[in-house]
Amino acid sequence: MKPFTLIPNVTNIDFLRLRGASFVVSILLLVVSVGAIAFNGFNFALDFTGGTVTELRFEQPVDVNEARKRLADAGYGSAEVLTFGSGNDLLVRLQSGDEGEGGDLETNDRTARQITDAVSTADNPGTVMRSDFVGPQVGKELALNGIWALIFVVVGFLVYISTRFERKFAIAAVLTSLQDSVIVVGWFALSGHEFDLTVLAGILSVVGFSINDTIVVFDRIRENFRTMRTTPEAIINASINQTLSRTIITSVASFLTVFALYMYGGGSLQGMAEAMMIGVVIGTMSSIFVASPLLTVGFLKVTKQDLMPKARDEEALARRP
């Protein structure tokens, strides 16, 4: 191994030997995730439930914890307080029911004034930069659009991979990506962390990352099936080892990027970063231990006949200019 080479260029790890344990762990994670979704539900943010969003600007930086305490003393115990931009700017979110009945302009303005009075101090007064009301109907539409977006992504990937590779590869890749997204969603149901539109964007990114990671391995499997003369299990195992360095390096780089976003991107982006960090870890593990081993079991078992190039039509080739 060369100096500073963390991952050998050639490894010979028998990943398929662990496929039984991998499938068991994968199923257990899915069961726990589905159970958490079914029994715990989600802590939906204002994006989906509706409510008031008030943006405040202060002359000096504001302590977020102190602002939450002041709002709780004023009767807004469930208020969500976030910083964005500089420390002088606060974003206060109140879900429907916290800001009073209705969402008319007068009620919205009154709520914004009450929030400002609660957070402001004599030496650090606040100014309302904007105050908007999001109705529950808008939240339902956003949730429905998010579901349609996920369906569109899954169907699109299924069609593309079926055309680019083979149907068995497409089914294995989509099943693995759906598993990854369900586990990430289950984490938010289990932990009770707020679920907003940025989290939904993170989950869609996880689907894309997982598919991309899996396709790299699948492409190498297809190439090796056409060149190597050995058993399908040995070919798949060799393909995973050959792409292992690339998989780990890409995943570590992606994780560090979203970790920086989680640490320094502010409260409004933490949900998305959290979803992507979990998704990167789960997606990397599933592309190695779940997606490829799926090609060795049941109706998804891949053979050389599935991947052999189609015979050329010599007459059609001869007619080409």
Side-chain angles (χ1 to χ4, degrees):
M1 187 168 58
K2 296 179 180 179
F4 306 110
T5 301
L6 298 180
I7 305 169
N9 293 327
V10 179
T11 58
N12 190 26
I13 305 172
D14 190 0
F15 290 104
L16 293 187
R17 184 171 60 87
L18 303 173
R19 59 186 165 186
S22 301
F23 291 154
V24 170
V25 172
S26 176
I27 293 172
L28 286 176
L29 288 174
L30 277 176
V31 170
V32 172
S33 298
V34 173
I37 294 170
F39 294 104
N40 289 5
F42 297 103
N43 178 21
F44 285 115
L46 180 143
D47 298 334
F48 298 110
T49 62
T52 301
V53 182
T54 303
E55 180 182 326
L56 304 175
R57 178 163 295 171
F58 295 84
E59 295 180 359
Q60 303 172 21
V62 182
D63 184 271
V64 176
N65 293 326
E66 181 64 24
R68 291 195 184 102
K69 184 178 181 301
R70 288 175 175 273
L71 286 171
D73 294 340
Y76 299 108
S78 61
E80 177 187 358
V81 184
L82 301 172
T83 58
F84 70 100
S86 65
N88 297 45
D89 298 324
L90 285 185
L91 196 68
V92 180
R93 296 177 177 176
L94 300 176
Q95 293 189 357
S96 292
D98 295 335
E99 74 283 355
E101 297 297 328
D104 56 89
L105 183 61
E106 182 180 351
T107 302
N108 194 39
D109 290 341
R110 184 173 66 252
T111 301
R113 289 195 300 271
Q114 292 172 349
I115 291 173
T116 307
D117 294 339
V119 180
S120 298
T121 60
D123 57 345
N124 191 20
T127 303
V128 178
M129 304 304 295
R130 72 178 177 92
S131 184
D132 300 321
F133 177 79
V134 179
Q137 182 60 35
V138 175
K140 292 179 181 178
E141 292 177 358
L142 290 173
L144 183 61
N145 290 338
I147 294 173
W148 278 114
L150 183 59
I151 293 174
F152 175 80
V153 168
V154 170
V155 173
F157 280 135
L158 187 62
V159 173
Y160 168 74
I161 303 171
S162 298
T163 304
R164 182 72 172 78
F165 288 89
E166 204 267 345
R167 188 172 63 252
K168 294 179 181 179
F169 282 87
I171 296 173
V174 170
L175 286 177
T176 306
S177 298
L178 285 177
Q179 169 211 262
D180 299 340
S181 59
V182 169
I183 292 174
V184 174
V185 171
W187 163 255
F188 280 89
L190 188 64
S191 65
H193 293 176
E194 192 174 60
F195 194 99
D196 57 15
L197 281 177
T198 64
V199 173
L200 180 59
I203 293 170
L204 292 176
S205 300
V206 167
V207 176
F209 176 87
S210 178
I211 284 282
N212 178 71
D213 227 18
T214 303
I215 286 300
V216 170
V217 183
F218 281 3
D219 192 47
R220 184 58 60 89
I221 292 174
R222 182 179 60 174
E223 293 176 0
N224 287 339
F225 256 97
R226 295 174 179 177
T227 58
M228 296 177 65
R229 299 293 181 264
T230 183
T231 63
E233 287 76 9
I235 292 174
I236 292 173
N237 210 49
S239 301
I240 299 174
N241 279 276
Q242 290 169 6
T243 56
L244 183 62
S245 176
R246 179 266 175 205
T247 299
I248 294 178
I249 291 173
T250 302
S251 299
V252 170
S254 301
F255 183 89
L256 291 177
T257 301
V258 293
F259 180 71
L261 190 65
Y262 179 82
M263 294 296 296
Y264 306 108
S268 59
L269 294 178
Q270 280 189 348
M272 181 179 70
E274 182 179 350
M276 293 181 68
M277 284 193 299
I278 298 171
V280 167
V281 175
I282 296 296
T284 302
M285 301 302 291
S286 67
S287 66
I288 297 173
F289 293 101
V290 179
S292 299
L294 275 178
L295 300 177
T296 66
V297 298
F299 71 97
L300 293 178
K301 188 171 184 178
V302 177
T303 63
K304 286 184 177 293
Q305 286 71 27
D306 294 324
L307 296 174
M308 289 302 292
K310 307 301 180 183
R312 296 180 178 179
D313 187 343
E314 299 296 340
E315 294 184 1
L317 290 175
R319 288 196 299 269
R320 290 183 181 179

